[in-house]
Amino acid sequence: MTGTGSLLKVGNMKKLSVKELYELKKKDLSLSLITHPNTMQGYITTSFLNRPGLALTGYFDRFEYSRIQIFGETEISYLQSLKEEVLYNNIKEALVYDIPAIIITKGLSVPKQIEFLANEMMIPIFSSRLSTDKLFNSLRIYLQSVFAESKTIHGTLIDVFGVGILLTGKSGIGKSECALELVERGQRLITDDVVKITSKDDILVGCATNNYGHFMEVRGIGLIDVAKMFGIQAVRMKKRIDVQIELMPWKDNMDYERIGLSNNSVDILGNKIPIIYLPISPGKNVAVIIEVVAMNHISKLFGYDAAKEYTNKLQEDLKRKAVVRENQIEKKE
Amino acid sequence: MIRKTIKIVNKLGMHARPATMIVKAATKYRSEFKIVKSDMEINGKSIMGVMTLAAEFGSELELVADGVDEEFLIKEITEMFANKFGED
């Protein structure tokens, strides 16, 4: 598992300190610090990276200085082609900006003036043995996970036939008991009671907030360990969330979905997923219904929508019968 | 018990949306509610039942309500049919 470091949150903006990044990722990204350790003082505030390119020629419009700057072979060979004086001036101008860190790829050697200036201006330079492409990819993936939006909600997350079902509803309505029955039927529990949801590349991923294991509270019994009790096949660490099911007590006058043509959805961290309001009443086997929800979801993904299928057939039937009726009336006349 | 014959006046007939409207309206009442079309008699509070009638434009239905609030039920449902379920 990759740690996300001690992430500071200032207002809505997340920051990752350069020191933290170095400590956590120096092995994965094969990083070594070239400048003085004191230079590592800044914070990274975005998951984007930048190739400075034109900024090195002295063109600073739209220079994304707040991103980590990646120097590849192109940058280094360009800098080496410059006269010493020009190089010195251009770099000095660039380093005036508040750059969190510079990473040189492929273990390329850094012109001495750059190292000197970076130490002066307190901007850390790292050298990585990875190729530019590889470094770009790995660093982006890591930073995206650090800066991904997340929140925790009260609910239970279960993998039902590969469909991530987020069970919500008031305390005591039976989310845990329902999850337990699903587990017994061969489905897999991700976490009970508190789900940490992260939004990444337009998908929602849910996991537990801690790594204590798959514990669950069952009213009247207390805590149980689902993985110990049902085996390792009954649990998993994280899962994409596909559908939310809100369990609610049955009310006579409530407007429940009857056909399934209207698709209700809920917004979680800017991602829309379908939501189903499921009334529960004594004697109802909720676990089976949840399996049906999952299978129906898969079925829709494969392009088959039972509600549409039925209502289309009905509509065709109505049209045909209306025509027959009209013809009969005309004949009589 | 009230019995009332009505005619389907909306062009599309009783497709999914009107069927849902009828069922949702009927379930609010405590009376029993049946719909009869020729030899078919179904429970008017069941969506599958109502759709099974496949009642096309121009066909006739008999509404049968039985219970304490039967009048109100019949009144609301009749109005829905007359208003063509909000369609042309």
Side-chain angles (χ1 to χ4, degrees):
Chain A
M1 273 180 79
T2 50
T4 48
S6 60
L7 206 60
L8 292 163
K9 238 185 158 177
V10 184
N12 262 336
M13 262 228 319
K14 287 178 178 176
K15 311 202 285 182
L16 174 71
S17 80
V18 175
K19 231 177 223 162
E20 197 79 48
L21 173 77
Y22 181 55
E23 295 295 323
L24 288 166
K25 300 304 282 182
K26 65 179 163 194
K27 234 188 186 164
D28 294 351
L29 302 175
S30 90
L31 293 177
S32 53
L33 184 66
I34 291 177
T35 49
H36 196 268
N38 284 347
T39 53
M40 289 194 292
Q41 283 179 341
Y43 291 92
I44 299 147
T45 52
T46 162
S47 66
F48 294 107
L49 303 173
N50 193 45
R51 293 288 295 270
L54 284 177
L56 299 177
T57 70
Y59 183 76
F60 292 106
D61 279 11
R62 297 174 159 263
F63 176 40
E64 300 282 1
Y65 60 88
S66 63
R67 305 174 180 180
I68 294 177
Q69 306 294 318
I70 309 288
F71 283 39
E73 239 167 341
T74 324
E75 282 80 3
I76 295 295
S77 66
Y78 170 73
L79 291 171
Q80 279 167 344
S81 76
L82 294 176
K83 281 189 188 133
E84 272 192 30
E85 212 182 276
V86 183
L87 169 68
Y88 186 87
N89 284 335
N90 284 9
I91 289 295
K92 195 173 175 184
E93 254 187 287
L95 296 189
V96 166
Y97 289 87
D98 195 9
I99 296 167
I102 294 170
I103 302 178
I104 317 258
T105 61
K106 269 192 167 175
L108 296 164
S109 62
V110 190
K112 275 279 164 287
Q113 295 105 307
I114 299 183
E115 197 185 316
F116 170 77
L117 280 169
N119 272 323
E120 285 284 287
M121 321 279 269
M122 298 296 274
I123 290 170
I125 298 182
F126 301 96
S127 170
S128 168
R129 279 209 298 267
L130 300 183
S131 71
T132 312
D133 193 57
K134 232 177 179 171
L135 178 92
F136 228 91
N137 253 330
S138 317
L139 192 53
R140 262 313 285 274
I141 290 169
Y142 171 69
L143 289 178
Q144 265 173 347
S145 73
V146 170
F147 289 100
E149 266 198 279
S150 70
K151 72 170 184 181
T152 58
I153 69 162
H154 178 61
T156 298
L157 183 59
I158 337 161
D159 173 350
V160 182
F161 302 127
V163 179
I165 303 260
L166 178 65
L167 271 183
T168 53
K170 286 205 186 90
S171 260
I173 196 148
K175 295 185 291 292
S176 302
E177 290 74 7
C178 182
L180 211 51
E181 195 173 343
L182 283 164
V183 161
E184 221 210 12
R185 296 172 66 93
Q187 312 299 352
R188 305 169 73 187
L189 177 78
I190 291 91
T191 177
D192 184 48
D193 210 44
V194 186
V195 186
K196 184 182 176 200
I197 302 176
T198 313
S199 162
K200 232 167 108 181
D201 296 330
D202 297 332
I203 60 166
L204 295 169
V205 176
C207 63
T209 47
N210 59 36
N211 53 5
Y212 296 171
H214 295 79
F215 290 89
M216 174 189 274
E217 186 217 341
V218 181
R219 301 286 151 95
I221 300 174
L223 292 183
I224 60 161
D225 184 336
V226 175
K228 278 264 150 49
M229 203 174 267
F230 294 92
I232 202 76
Q233 81 275 13
V235 295
R236 61 181 291 177
M237 302 296 280
K238 57 181 179 180
K239 176 78 189 88
R240 182 188 63 234
I241 302 173
D242 298 296
V243 183
Q244 179 177 348
I245 297 181
E246 170 105 8
L247 300 178
M248 48 199 345
W250 180 279
K251 275 189 218 137
D252 276 346
N253 286 336
M254 183 58 193
D255 214 3
Y256 299 113
E257 183 59 50
R258 299 298 294 261
I259 296 182
L261 284 175
S262 55
N263 294 309
N264 293 318
S265 64
V266 63
D267 189 292
I268 302 176
L269 296 170
N271 297 275
K272 274 200 174 136
I273 59 164
I275 183 169
I276 287 164
Y277 299 97
L278 198 65
I280 59 172
S281 50
K284 218 178 205 186
N285 190 336
V286 185
V288 174
I289 296 170
I290 288 170
E291 286 188 347
V292 166
V293 168
M295 289 188 280
N296 205 31
H297 181 77
I298 298 170
S299 180
K300 280 184 193 171
L301 287 182
F302 277 115
Y304 184 87
D305 188 328
K308 275 195 193 137
E309 197 70 18
Y310 186 94
T311 52
N312 284 345
K313 282 180 179 167
L314 173 62
Q315 235 153 350
E316 275 166 32
D317 204 15
L318 291 173
K319 230 184 257 169
R320 189 182 51 78
K321 283 162 85 176
V323 172
V324 171
R325 178 176 291 273
E326 218 168 303
N327 290 343
Q328 277 174 345
I329 294 168
E330 275 173 18
K331 261 184 203 167
K332 272 182 197 165
E333 285 168 357
Chain B
M1 176 151 43
I2 305 183
R3 288 174 170 272
K4 182 161 187 176
T5 303
I6 51 105
K7 201 169 186 179
I8 307 258
V9 287
N10 65 314
K11 284 264 157 60
L12 294 173
M14 200 147 67
H15 59 100
R17 203 183 58 86
T20 312
M21 284 172 73
I22 290 169
V23 170
K24 282 188 174 168
T27 31
K28 287 188 304 195
Y29 297 95
R30 286 167 61 194
S31 302
E32 272 189 38
F33 178 48
K34 293 209 165 79
I35 306 178
V36 186
K37 187 186 181 228
S38 50
D39 59 346
M40 242 193 296
E41 184 191 275
I42 57 92
N43 184 342
K45 295 183 180 183
S46 144
I47 188 77
M48 284 301 277
V50 176
M51 291 199 294
T52 304
L53 291 175
E56 77 279 12
F57 171 62
S59 60
E60 279 185 351
L61 303 176
E62 192 181 15
L63 310 178
V64 185
D66 189 6
V68 284
D69 46 12
E70 52 188 37
E71 285 164 56
F72 303 102
L73 190 156
I74 292 289
K75 188 167 174 276
E76 186 176 347
I77 303 288
T78 310
E79 273 170 14
M80 280 182 158
F81 276 98
N83 292 335
K84 302 180 179 180
F85 306 102
E87 292 170 5
D88 303 328

